[in-house]
Amino acid sequence: MPVSADVTQIGIVEETDYGVTPATPVFETLPIVSESLVGNASTELSQTLNAARQTLDSILNSLDVAGSMDFEFAKTPAMEIIISSAMAKAPADIASDRSWVVGKEQRSFTVEKRWDDPNNPGEYLYHRFTGCVVNGLTLTMSAGATITGSAELIGQSLVTDTTMIAGATYPPVTAFNVFRAPDVAQIDLDNASGSLAPTITDSCVTDITININNNYRGIQCLGFLGNKDTVIGQMECTYDQTIFFSNNQMMDSFLAQDVLLETITVGDDTGDDHYKFITTKGKFASEEVVAGGTGTDVINTSNINWLYDNTIGIPTTIEITTTFTP
């Protein structure tokens, strides 16, 4: 009997030691719309000569973990595990805010896929992926649509099971609101001269994509099948943005290579249900204004590289904050 994707449960739990699932783990459920996390096998055919003129063996040389988790963006405990790994930093609780800045910590977690066992009613099939880290995080905001995201993961190894880990618990998914385009409550983009703020305020922003890339790489060692460890690389943060063209101010700022700052708030920042993305130093990497053809509007598309800012209280490239209840 086939297994429907609709019965898939994805649980994640932070690891204290890389690649080691905690004892009696508490798996937070990550609501997803699709996933592609797999064990990537590297095999090689035997080159041994033989009189039968046939291949003698297929050899499994390595098996590492990679893939993505695609989701509708919402405020959940599992999402905060994803953000902590993407920022390589545990959140700091400051006043009434939980705040993440760019760090250098290897924030790994175990991912567990669980399905109903079609051959044993009431039982489950498990795939567990240890040593997972967020190599890339993408959030996409488009007018008239749900805000979506994708976490690109790399990990250590894959094991299968037919029984749950002893002592494991699965807290029920609490009610949450999926963020939508109307929930983008604040978009403040400006330069030192203040010339961009009126453009953003008075114009129509149609699309924003936030990209975080940690440039992780897996480490393969003798005596180990899979990535024995992962090493974090240089963090890159970019925003792609589209607005309706109304003046030359963004193009002028691009040509002058002005230093930019931007704040994007998703949700109501007067309550507990929001995320705020704060970047204080960036530059336009590209700026294009095109007329696509008859019956279309002139569109201004831009790409911004966000840079390390060591002039602020906690030097960082990007800060993510949310209100929390102490």
Side-chain angles (χ1 to χ4, degrees), residues 102 235-237 278-281 306-309 312 314-319:
V102 179
M235 187 265 203
E236 299 171 350
C237 180
I278 304 167
T279 44
T280 60
K281 183 181 180 182
W306 293 104
L307 310 172
Y308 174 64
D309 188 352
I312 55 179
I314 303 176
T316 192
T317 299
I318 180 174
E319 180 179 3

Side-chain angles (χ1 to χ4, degrees), residues 145-272:
T146 297
I147 298 176
T148 60
S150 181
E152 178 203 345
L153 311 182
I154 66 171
Q156 184 186 67
S157 61
L158 160 65
V159 295
T160 66
D161 209 338
T162 56
T163 59
M164 65 182 289
I165 297 174
T169 54
Y170 302 86
V173 180
T174 57
F176 61 86
N177 293 320
V178 174
F179 293 119
R180 314 154 301 146
D183 297 319
V184 181
Q186 176 189 25
I187 304 172
D188 291 335
L189 173 63
D190 210 349
N191 52 21
S193 67
S195 65
L196 289 183
T199 298
I200 298 299
T201 301
D202 298 338
S203 298
C204 176
V205 181
T206 63
D207 296 276
I208 297 176
T209 301
I210 298 174
N211 295 290
I212 293 174
N213 182 3
N214 282 314
N215 285 298
Y216 265 105
R217 58 189 181 274
I219 301 299
Q220 302 265 326
C221 301
L222 294 175
F224 197 88
L225 181 66
N227 290 328
K228 188 172 184 178
D229 209 337
T230 57
V231 177
I232 198 168
Q234 181 169 282
M235 187 265 203
E236 299 171 350
C237 180
T238 63
Y239 288 6
D240 297 310
Q241 301 184 140
T242 303
I243 70 171
F244 287 103
F245 177 65
S246 60
N247 57 53
N248 287 329
Q249 290 167 348
M250 293 184 71
M251 183 64 72
D252 291 340
S253 191
F254 162 63
L255 295 174
Q257 282 294 280
D258 290 337
V259 173
L260 310 173
L261 56 92
E262 185 166 12
T263 297
I264 301 172
T265 301
V266 179
D268 179 6
D269 64 359
T270 63
D272 189 47

